[in-house]
PDB file of all heavy atoms in Angstrom:
ATOM      1  N   SER E   1      45.974 112.457 102.238  1.00 96.00           N
ATOM      2  CA  SER E   1      45.206 111.209 102.219  1.00 96.00           C
ATOM      3  C   SER E   1      43.860 111.388 102.916  1.00 96.00           C
ATOM      4  O   SER E   1      43.754 112.036 103.960  1.00 96.00           O
ATOM      5  CB  SER E   1      45.988 110.095 102.912  1.00 96.00           C
ATOM      6  OG  SER E   1      45.183 108.937 103.059  1.00 96.00           O
ATOM      7  N   VAL E   2      42.827 110.812 102.313  1.00 94.00           N
ATOM      8  CA  VAL E   2      41.489 110.854 102.901  1.00 94.00           C
ATOM      9  C   VAL E   2      41.220 109.606 103.740  1.00 94.00           C
ATOM     10  O   VAL E   2      40.098 109.419 104.221  1.00 94.00           O
ATOM     11  CB  VAL E   2      40.425 110.975 101.790  1.00 94.00           C
ATOM     12  CG1 VAL E   2      40.583 112.284 101.045  1.00 94.00           C
ATOM     13  CG2 VAL E   2      40.477 109.789 100.826  1.00 94.00           C
ATOM     14  N   CYS E   3      42.230 108.788 103.929  1.00 96.00           N
ATOM     15  CA  CYS E   3      42.057 107.489 104.591  1.00 96.00           C
ATOM     16  C   CYS E   3      42.587 107.497 106.021  1.00 96.00           C
ATOM     17  O   CYS E   3      43.664 108.025 106.296  1.00 96.00           O
ATOM     18  CB  CYS E   3      42.755 106.392 103.793  1.00 96.00           C
ATOM     19  SG  CYS E   3      42.203 106.278 102.080  1.00 96.00           S
ATOM     20  N   ALA E   4      41.833 106.873 106.913  1.00 94.00           N
ATOM     21  CA  ALA E   4      42.243 106.775 108.316  1.00 94.00           C
ATOM     22  C   ALA E   4      43.233 105.640 108.531  1.00 94.00           C
ATOM     23  O   ALA E   4      44.099 105.716 109.406  1.00 94.00           O
ATOM     24  CB  ALA E   4      41.016 106.576 109.200  1.00 94.00           C
ATOM     25  N   GLU E   5      43.091 104.561 107.732  1.00 94.00           N
ATOM     26  CA  GLU E   5      43.970 103.405 107.890  1.00 94.00           C
ATOM     27  C   GLU E   5      45.055 103.411 106.827  1.00 94.00           C
ATOM     28  O   GLU E   5      44.886 103.957 105.745  1.00 94.00           O
ATOM     29  CB  GLU E   5      43.157 102.108 107.773  1.00 94.00           C
ATOM     30  CG  GLU E   5      42.115 101.944 108.885  1.00 94.00           C
ATOM     31  CD  GLU E   5      41.364 100.630 108.751  1.00 94.00           C
ATOM     32  OE1 GLU E   5      40.466 100.548 107.901  1.00 94.00           O
ATOM     33  OE2 GLU E   5      41.705  99.694 109.491  1.00 94.00           O
ATOM     34  N   GLN E   6      46.182 102.776 107.158  1.00 95.00           N
ATOM     35  CA  GLN E   6      47.297 102.711 106.226  1.00 95.00           C
ATOM     36  C   GLN E   6      46.880 101.957 104.963  1.00 95.00           C
ATOM     37  O   GLN E   6      46.246 100.908 105.034  1.00 95.00           O
ATOM     38  CB  GLN E   6      48.501 102.036 106.870  1.00 95.00           C
ATOM     39  CG  GLN E   6      49.743 102.061 105.994  1.00 95.00           C
ATOM     40  CD  GLN E   6      50.971 101.571 106.740  1.00 95.00           C
ATOM     41  OE1 GLN E   6      50.933 101.380 107.946  1.00 95.00           O
ATOM     42  NE2 GLN E   6      52.059 101.361 106.026  1.00 95.00           N
ATOM     43  N   GLN E   7      47.264 102.505 103.813  1.00 96.00           N
ATOM     44  CA  GLN E   7      46.880 101.925 102.532  1.00 96.00           C
ATOM     45  C   GLN E   7      48.053 101.204 101.871  1.00 96.00           C
ATOM     46  O   GLN E   7      49.220 101.464 102.182  1.00 96.00           O
ATOM     47  CB  GLN E   7      46.371 103.034 101.601  1.00 96.00           C
ATOM     48  CG  GLN E   7      45.156 103.784 102.129  1.00 96.00           C
ATOM     49  CD  GLN E   7      43.916 102.924 102.133  1.00 96.00           C
ATOM     50  OE1 GLN E   7      43.376 102.584 101.092  1.00 96.00           O
ATOM     51  NE2 GLN E   7      43.450 102.561 103.334  1.00 96.00           N
ATOM     52  N   SER E   8      47.735 100.307 100.960  1.00 95.00           N
ATOM     53  CA  SER E   8      48.759  99.554 100.241  1.00 95.00           C
ATOM     54  C   SER E   8      48.394  99.483  98.762  1.00 95.00           C
ATOM     55  O   SER E   8      47.329  99.941  98.343  1.00 95.00           O
ATOM     56  CB  SER E   8      48.896  98.145 100.817  1.00 95.00           C
ATOM     57  OG  SER E   8      47.661  97.445 100.725  1.00 95.00           O
ATOM     58  N   ASN E   9      49.291  98.906  97.971  1.00 96.00           N
ATOM     59  CA  ASN E   9      49.088  98.698  96.537  1.00 96.00           C
ATOM     60  C   ASN E   9      48.829  99.990  95.773  1.00 96.00           C
ATOM     61  O   ASN E   9      47.791 100.162  95.123  1.00 96.00           O
ATOM     62  CB  ASN E   9      47.932  97.714  96.295  1.00 96.00           C
ATOM     63  CG  ASN E   9      48.172  96.368  96.923  1.00 96.00           C
ATOM     64  OD1 ASN E   9      49.268  95.832  96.843  1.00 96.00           O
ATOM     65  ND2 ASN E   9      47.154  95.825  97.572  1.00 96.00           N
ATOM     66  N   PRO E  10      49.786 100.922  95.802  1.00 97.00           N
ATOM     67  CA  PRO E  10      49.614 102.158  95.027  1.00 97.00           C
ATOM     68  C   PRO E  10      49.743 101.897  93.530  1.00 97.00           C
ATOM     69  O   PRO E  10      50.228 100.839  93.098  1.00 97.00           O
ATOM     70  CB  PRO E  10      50.761 103.037  95.536  1.00 97.00           C
ATOM     71  CG  PRO E  10      51.817 102.054  95.942  1.00 97.00           C
ATOM     72  CD  PRO E  10      51.076 100.879  96.506  1.00 97.00           C
ATOM     73  N   ILE E  11      49.330 102.880  92.736  1.00 97.00           N
ATOM     74  CA  ILE E  11      49.486 102.815  91.285  1.00 97.00           C
ATOM     75  C   ILE E  11      50.971 102.835  90.931  1.00 97.00           C
ATOM     76  O   ILE E  11      51.751 103.622  91.478  1.00 97.00           O
ATOM     77  CB  ILE E  11      48.797 104.021  90.618  1.00 97.00           C
ATOM     78  CG1 ILE E  11      47.287 103.952  90.793  1.00 97.00           C
ATOM     79  CG2 ILE E  11      49.154 104.110  89.143  1.00 97.00           C
ATOM     80  CD1 ILE E  11      46.607 102.957  89.918  1.00 97.00           C
ATOM     81  N   THR E  12      51.385 101.987  90.008  1.00 98.00           N
ATOM     82  CA  THR E  12      52.713 102.036  89.404  1.00 98.00           C
ATOM     83  C   THR E  12      52.546 102.025  87.893  1.00 98.00           C
ATOM     84  O   THR E  12      51.489 101.661  87.379  1.00 98.00           O
ATOM     85  CB  THR E  12      53.575 100.843  89.849  1.00 98.00           C
ATOM     86  OG1 THR E  12      52.898  99.619  89.509  1.00 98.00           O
ATOM     87  CG2 THR E  12      53.842 100.876  91.351  1.00 98.00           C
ATOM     88  N   TYR E  13      53.594 102.426  87.189  1.00 98.00           N
ATOM     89  CA  TYR E  13      53.523 102.551  85.729  1.00 98.00           C
ATOM     90  C   TYR E  13      54.576 101.679  85.065  1.00 98.00           C
ATOM     91  O   TYR E  13      55.629 101.417  85.654  1.00 98.00           O
ATOM     92  CB  TYR E  13      53.725 104.021  85.334  1.00 98.00           C
ATOM     93  CG  TYR E  13      52.632 104.925  85.829  1.00 98.00           C
ATOM     94  CD1 TYR E  13      52.746 105.560  87.064  1.00 98.00           C
ATOM     95  CD2 TYR E  13      51.470 105.121  85.085  1.00 98.00           C
ATOM     96  CE1 TYR E  13      51.727 106.382  87.533  1.00 98.00           C
ATOM     97  CE2 TYR E  13      50.446 105.948  85.545  1.00 98.00           C
ATOM     98  CZ  TYR E  13      50.592 106.571  86.772  1.00 98.00           C
ATOM     99  OH  TYR E  13      49.574 107.384  87.239  1.00 98.00           O
ATOM    100  N   PRO E  14      54.275 101.269  83.816  1.00 98.00           N
ATOM    101  CA  PRO E  14      53.034 101.464  83.053  1.00 98.00           C
ATOM    102  C   PRO E  14      51.958 100.482  83.503  1.00 98.00           C
ATOM    103  O   PRO E  14      52.251  99.483  84.166  1.00 98.00           O
ATOM    104  CB  PRO E  14      53.465 101.177  81.618  1.00 98.00           C
ATOM    105  CG  PRO E  14      54.548 100.164  81.765  1.00 98.00           C
ATOM    106  CD  PRO E  14      55.286 100.537  83.029  1.00 98.00           C
ATOM    107  N   PHE E  15      50.717 100.777  83.127  1.00 98.00           N
ATOM    108  CA  PHE E  15      49.637  99.810  83.332  1.00 98.00           C
ATOM    109  C   PHE E  15      48.720  99.843  82.117  1.00 98.00           C
ATOM    110  O   PHE E  15      48.711 100.812  81.358  1.00 98.00           O
ATOM    111  CB  PHE E  15      48.862 100.082  84.630  1.00 98.00           C
ATOM    112  CG  PHE E  15      48.050 101.348  84.640  1.00 98.00           C
ATOM    113  CD1 PHE E  15      46.772 101.395  84.097  1.00 98.00           C
ATOM    114  CD2 PHE E  15      48.556 102.511  85.226  1.00 98.00           C
ATOM    115  CE1 PHE E  15      46.018 102.562  84.124  1.00 98.00           C
ATOM    116  CE2 PHE E  15      47.814 103.688  85.245  1.00 98.00           C
ATOM    117  CZ  PHE E  15      46.538 103.709  84.689  1.00 98.00           C
ATOM    118  N   ALA E  16      47.955  98.780  81.944  1.00 97.00           N
ATOM    119  CA  ALA E  16      47.092  98.643  80.769  1.00 97.00           C
ATOM    120  C   ALA E  16      45.665  99.021  81.103  1.00 97.00           C
ATOM    121  O   ALA E  16      45.206  98.873  82.244  1.00 97.00           O
ATOM    122  CB  ALA E  16      47.146  97.216  80.230  1.00 97.00           C
ATOM    123  N   SER E  17      44.935  99.486  80.097  1.00 97.00           N
ATOM    124  CA  SER E  17      43.516  99.791  80.250  1.00 97.00           C
ATOM    125  C   SER E  17      42.721  98.521  80.521  1.00 97.00           C
ATOM    126  O   SER E  17      43.216  97.403  80.332  1.00 97.00           O
ATOM    127  CB  SER E  17      42.990 100.464  78.981  1.00 97.00           C
ATOM    128  OG  SER E  17      43.158  99.613  77.858  1.00 97.00           O
ATOM    129  N   PHE E  18      41.476  98.686  80.936  1.00 96.00           N
ATOM    130  CA  PHE E  18      40.597  97.552  81.223  1.00 96.00           C
ATOM    131  C   PHE E  18      40.503  96.608  80.029  1.00 96.00           C
ATOM    132  O   PHE E  18      40.522  95.386  80.184  1.00 96.00           O
ATOM    133  CB  PHE E  18      39.202  98.072  81.600  1.00 96.00           C
ATOM    134  CG  PHE E  18      38.169  97.002  81.834  1.00 96.00           C
ATOM    135  CD1 PHE E  18      38.053  96.383  83.069  1.00 96.00           C
ATOM    136  CD2 PHE E  18      37.309  96.618  80.810  1.00 96.00           C
ATOM    137  CE1 PHE E  18      37.098  95.399  83.292  1.00 96.00           C
ATOM    138  CE2 PHE E  18      36.348  95.642  81.009  1.00 96.00           C
ATOM    139  CZ  PHE E  18      36.246  95.031  82.254  1.00 96.00           C
ATOM    140  N   ASP E  19      40.443  97.153  78.817  1.00 94.00           N
ATOM    141  CA  ASP E  19      40.316  96.301  77.630  1.00 94.00           C
ATOM    142  C   ASP E  19      41.661  95.829  77.103  1.00 94.00           C
ATOM    143  O   ASP E  19      41.717  95.049  76.151  1.00 94.00           O
ATOM    144  CB  ASP E  19      39.534  97.012  76.530  1.00 94.00           C
ATOM    145  CG  ASP E  19      40.223  98.265  76.001  1.00 94.00           C
ATOM    146  OD1 ASP E  19      41.411  98.484  76.294  1.00 94.00           O
ATOM    147  OD2 ASP E  19      39.569  99.041  75.285  1.00 94.00           O
ATOM    148  N   GLY E  20      42.750  96.315  77.704  1.00 95.00           N
ATOM    149  CA  GLY E  20      44.077  95.851  77.326  1.00 95.00           C
ATOM    150  C   GLY E  20      44.677  96.520  76.111  1.00 95.00           C
ATOM    151  O   GLY E  20      45.824  96.236  75.757  1.00 95.00           O
ATOM    152  N   GLY E  21      43.950  97.425  75.458  1.00 96.00           N
ATOM    153  CA  GLY E  21      44.431  98.003  74.215  1.00 96.00           C
ATOM    154  C   GLY E  21      45.301  99.228  74.367  1.00 96.00           C
ATOM    155  O   GLY E  21      45.982  99.631  73.421  1.00 96.00           O
ATOM    156  N   VAL E  22      45.300  99.860  75.534  1.00 98.00           N
ATOM    157  CA  VAL E  22      46.022 101.112  75.744  1.00 98.00           C
ATOM    158  C   VAL E  22      46.940 100.969  76.954  1.00 98.00           C
ATOM    159  O   VAL E  22      46.555 100.383  77.972  1.00 98.00           O
ATOM    160  CB  VAL E  22      45.047 102.289  75.968  1.00 98.00           C
ATOM    161  CG1 VAL E  22      45.801 103.586  76.229  1.00 98.00           C
ATOM    162  CG2 VAL E  22      44.125 102.453  74.764  1.00 98.00           C
ATOM    163  N   THR E  23      48.152 101.497  76.830  1.00 98.00           N
ATOM    164  CA  THR E  23      49.111 101.499  77.935  1.00 98.00           C
ATOM    165  C   THR E  23      49.278 102.926  78.436  1.00 98.00           C
ATOM    166  O   THR E  23      49.523 103.849  77.642  1.00 98.00           O
ATOM    167  CB  THR E  23      50.469 100.946  77.483  1.00 98.00           C
ATOM    168  OG1 THR E  23      50.296  99.595  77.053  1.00 98.00           O
ATOM    169  CG2 THR E  23      51.477 100.980  78.621  1.00 98.00           C
ATOM    170  N   PHE E  24      49.162 103.110  79.748  1.00 98.00           N
ATOM    171  CA  PHE E  24      49.247 104.429  80.358  1.00 98.00           C
ATOM    172  C   PHE E  24      50.577 104.605  81.075  1.00 98.00           C
ATOM    173  O   PHE E  24      51.052 103.692  81.769  1.00 98.00           O
ATOM    174  CB  PHE E  24      48.094 104.645  81.340  1.00 98.00           C
ATOM    175  CG  PHE E  24      46.755 104.704  80.676  1.00 98.00           C
ATOM    176  CD1 PHE E  24      45.963 103.567  80.571  1.00 98.00           C
ATOM    177  CD2 PHE E  24      46.294 105.887  80.117  1.00 98.00           C
ATOM    178  CE1 PHE E  24      44.742 103.617  79.936  1.00 98.00           C
ATOM    179  CE2 PHE E  24      45.072 105.942  79.479  1.00 98.00           C
ATOM    180  CZ  PHE E  24      44.284 104.804  79.382  1.00 98.00           C
ATOM    181  N   THR E  25      51.156 105.792  80.901  1.00 98.00           N
ATOM    182  CA  THR E  25      52.362 106.174  81.625  1.00 98.00           C
ATOM    183  C   THR E  25      52.034 107.332  82.556  1.00 98.00           C
ATOM    184  O   THR E  25      50.919 107.850  82.549  1.00 98.00           O
ATOM    185  CB  THR E  25      53.471 106.577  80.644  1.00 98.00           C
ATOM    186  OG1 THR E  25      52.976 107.607  79.773  1.00 98.00           O
ATOM    187  CG2 THR E  25      53.897 105.376  79.806  1.00 98.00           C
ATOM    188  N   GLU E  26      53.011 107.753  83.360  1.00 97.00           N
ATOM    189  CA  GLU E  26      52.765 108.814  84.342  1.00 97.00           C
ATOM    190  C   GLU E  26      52.130 110.042  83.699  1.00 97.00           C
ATOM    191  O   GLU E  26      52.645 110.564  82.705  1.00 97.00           O
ATOM    192  CB  GLU E  26      54.079 109.247  84.990  1.00 97.00           C
ATOM    193  CG  GLU E  26      54.524 108.385  86.141  1.00 97.00           C
ATOM    194  CD  GLU E  26      55.708 109.018  86.866  1.00 97.00           C
ATOM    195  OE1 GLU E  26      56.630 109.492  86.180  1.00 97.00           O
ATOM    196  OE2 GLU E  26      55.707 109.040  88.107  1.00 97.00           O
ATOM    197  N   PRO E  27      51.017 110.532  84.248  1.00 98.00           N
ATOM    198  CA  PRO E  27      50.362 111.696  83.654  1.00 98.00           C
ATOM    199  C   PRO E  27      51.090 112.995  83.994  1.00 98.00           C
ATOM    200  O   PRO E  27      51.488 113.217  85.135  1.00 98.00           O
ATOM    201  CB  PRO E  27      48.965 111.668  84.284  1.00 98.00           C
ATOM    202  CG  PRO E  27      49.150 110.964  85.585  1.00 98.00           C
ATOM    203  CD  PRO E  27      50.265 109.975  85.384  1.00 98.00           C
ATOM    204  N   LYS E  28      51.240 113.839  82.969  1.00 98.00           N
ATOM    205  CA  LYS E  28      51.908 115.128  83.154  1.00 98.00           C
ATOM    206  C   LYS E  28      50.957 116.241  82.735  1.00 98.00           C
ATOM    207  O   LYS E  28      50.135 116.067  81.846  1.00 98.00           O
ATOM    208  CB  LYS E  28      53.178 115.210  82.307  1.00 98.00           C
ATOM    209  CG  LYS E  28      54.191 114.096  82.542  1.00 98.00           C
ATOM    210  CD  LYS E  28      55.399 114.292  81.638  1.00 98.00           C
ATOM    211  CE  LYS E  28      56.358 113.121  81.722  1.00 98.00           C
ATOM    212  NZ  LYS E  28      55.788 111.883  81.140  1.00 98.00           N
ATOM    213  N   VAL E  29      51.098 117.381  83.373  1.00 98.00           N
ATOM    214  CA  VAL E  29      50.469 118.610  82.904  1.00 98.00           C
ATOM    215  C   VAL E  29      51.589 119.630  82.742  1.00 98.00           C
ATOM    216  O   VAL E  29      52.078 120.195  83.711  1.00 98.00           O
ATOM    217  CB  VAL E  29      49.359 119.115  83.863  1.00 98.00           C
ATOM    218  CG1 VAL E  29      48.132 118.231  83.758  1.00 98.00           C
ATOM    219  CG2 VAL E  29      49.829 119.175  85.301  1.00 98.00           C
ATOM    220  N   GLY E  30      52.010 119.829  81.503  1.00 97.00           N
ATOM    221  CA  GLY E  30      53.153 120.688  81.273  1.00 97.00           C
ATOM    222  C   GLY E  30      54.391 120.111  81.938  1.00 97.00           C
ATOM    223  O   GLY E  30      54.784 118.971  81.689  1.00 97.00           O
ATOM    224  N   GLU E  31      54.992 120.879  82.828  1.00 97.00           N
ATOM    225  CA  GLU E  31      56.217 120.449  83.505  1.00 97.00           C
ATOM    226  C   GLU E  31      55.943 119.634  84.776  1.00 97.00           C
ATOM    227  O   GLU E  31      56.868 119.119  85.383  1.00 97.00           O
ATOM    228  CB  GLU E  31      57.047 121.686  83.872  1.00 97.00           C
ATOM    229  CG  GLU E  31      57.508 122.486  82.655  1.00 97.00           C
ATOM    230  CD  GLU E  31      58.111 123.826  83.040  1.00 97.00           C
ATOM    231  OE1 GLU E  31      58.208 124.106  84.269  1.00 97.00           O
ATOM    232  OE2 GLU E  31      58.471 124.590  82.133  1.00 97.00           O
ATOM    233  N   ARG E  32      54.693 119.529  85.162  1.00 97.00           N
ATOM    234  CA  ARG E  32      54.341 118.880  86.426  1.00 97.00           C
ATOM    235  C   ARG E  32      53.879 117.439  86.190  1.00 97.00           C
ATOM    236  O   ARG E  32      53.032 117.181  85.349  1.00 97.00           O
ATOM    237  CB  ARG E  32      53.236 119.675  87.116  1.00 97.00           C
ATOM    238  CG  ARG E  32      52.621 119.013  88.345  1.00 97.00           C
ATOM    239  CD  ARG E  32      51.493 119.879  88.879  1.00 97.00           C
ATOM    240  NE  ARG E  32      50.561 119.139  89.713  1.00 97.00           N
ATOM    241  CZ  ARG E  32      49.310 119.492  89.962  1.00 97.00           C
ATOM    242  NH1 ARG E  32      48.827 120.603  89.416  1.00 97.00           N
ATOM    243  NH2 ARG E  32      48.526 118.767  90.729  1.00 97.00           N
ATOM    244  N   VAL E  33      54.463 116.529  86.946  1.00 97.00           N
ATOM    245  CA  VAL E  33      53.989 115.150  86.968  1.00 97.00           C
ATOM    246  C   VAL E  33      52.982 115.032  88.099  1.00 97.00           C
ATOM    247  O   VAL E  33      53.254 115.443  89.228  1.00 97.00           O
ATOM    248  CB  VAL E  33      55.150 114.162  87.181  1.00 97.00           C
ATOM    249  CG1 VAL E  33      54.608 112.733  87.315  1.00 97.00           C
ATOM    250  CG2 VAL E  33      56.147 114.251  86.037  1.00 97.00           C
ATOM    251  N   ILE E  34      51.800 114.487  87.802  1.00 97.00           N
ATOM    252  CA  ILE E  34      50.769 114.330  88.822  1.00 97.00           C
ATOM    253  C   ILE E  34      50.813 112.908  89.363  1.00 97.00           C
ATOM    254  O   ILE E  34      50.769 111.937  88.601  1.00 97.00           O
ATOM    255  CB  ILE E  34      49.365 114.639  88.268  1.00 97.00           C
ATOM    256  CG1 ILE E  34      49.296 116.094  87.811  1.00 97.00           C
ATOM    257  CG2 ILE E  34      48.299 114.372  89.319  1.00 97.00           C
ATOM    258  CD1 ILE E  34      47.938 116.534  87.324  1.00 97.00           C
ATOM    259  N   ASP E  35      50.903 112.792  90.662  1.00 97.00           N
ATOM    260  CA  ASP E  35      50.937 111.489  91.328  1.00 97.00           C
ATOM    261  C   ASP E  35      49.537 111.172  91.840  1.00 97.00           C
ATOM    262  O   ASP E  35      49.087 111.750  92.830  1.00 97.00           O
ATOM    263  CB  ASP E  35      51.946 111.524  92.481  1.00 97.00           C
ATOM    264  CG  ASP E  35      52.115 110.172  93.165  1.00 97.00           C
ATOM    265  OD1 ASP E  35      51.330 109.234  92.865  1.00 97.00           O
ATOM    266  OD2 ASP E  35      53.028 110.045  93.999  1.00 97.00           O
ATOM    267  N   PHE E  36      48.846 110.278  91.155  1.00 98.00           N
ATOM    268  CA  PHE E  36      47.497 109.913  91.569  1.00 98.00           C
ATOM    269  C   PHE E  36      47.472 109.414  93.012  1.00 98.00           C
ATOM    270  O   PHE E  36      46.519 109.686  93.752  1.00 98.00           O
ATOM    271  CB  PHE E  36      46.944 108.832  90.638  1.00 98.00           C
ATOM    272  CG  PHE E  36      45.575 108.333  91.025  1.00 98.00           C
ATOM    273  CD1 PHE E  36      44.439 109.014  90.616  1.00 98.00           C
ATOM    274  CD2 PHE E  36      45.416 107.204  91.818  1.00 98.00           C
ATOM    275  CE1 PHE E  36      43.171 108.568  90.983  1.00 98.00           C
ATOM    276  CE2 PHE E  36      44.162 106.754  92.190  1.00 98.00           C
ATOM    277  CZ  PHE E  36      43.036 107.440  91.775  1.00 98.00           C
TER     278      PHE E  36
END
């Protein structure tokens, strides 16, 4: 973490794009799931 203070409201899935047309799920690279 780059933050000095405790953070809240992490990303959860699924979520919608700004325009609402696309739904995003957990991003993977091959066998690895990346946690934003």
Side-chain angles (χ1 to χ4, degrees):
S1 172
V2 296
C3 304
E5 296 182 282
Q6 186 171 350
Q7 300 290 290
S8 59
N9 301 317
I11 293 285
T12 57
Y13 295 91
F15 68 84
S17 60
F18 176 85
D19 64 13
V22 178
T23 299
F24 293 95
T25 55
E26 276 189 316
K28 304 180 187 68
V29 287
E31 297 170 2
R32 171 183 159 202
V33 175
I34 298 184
D35 184 351
F36 177 84

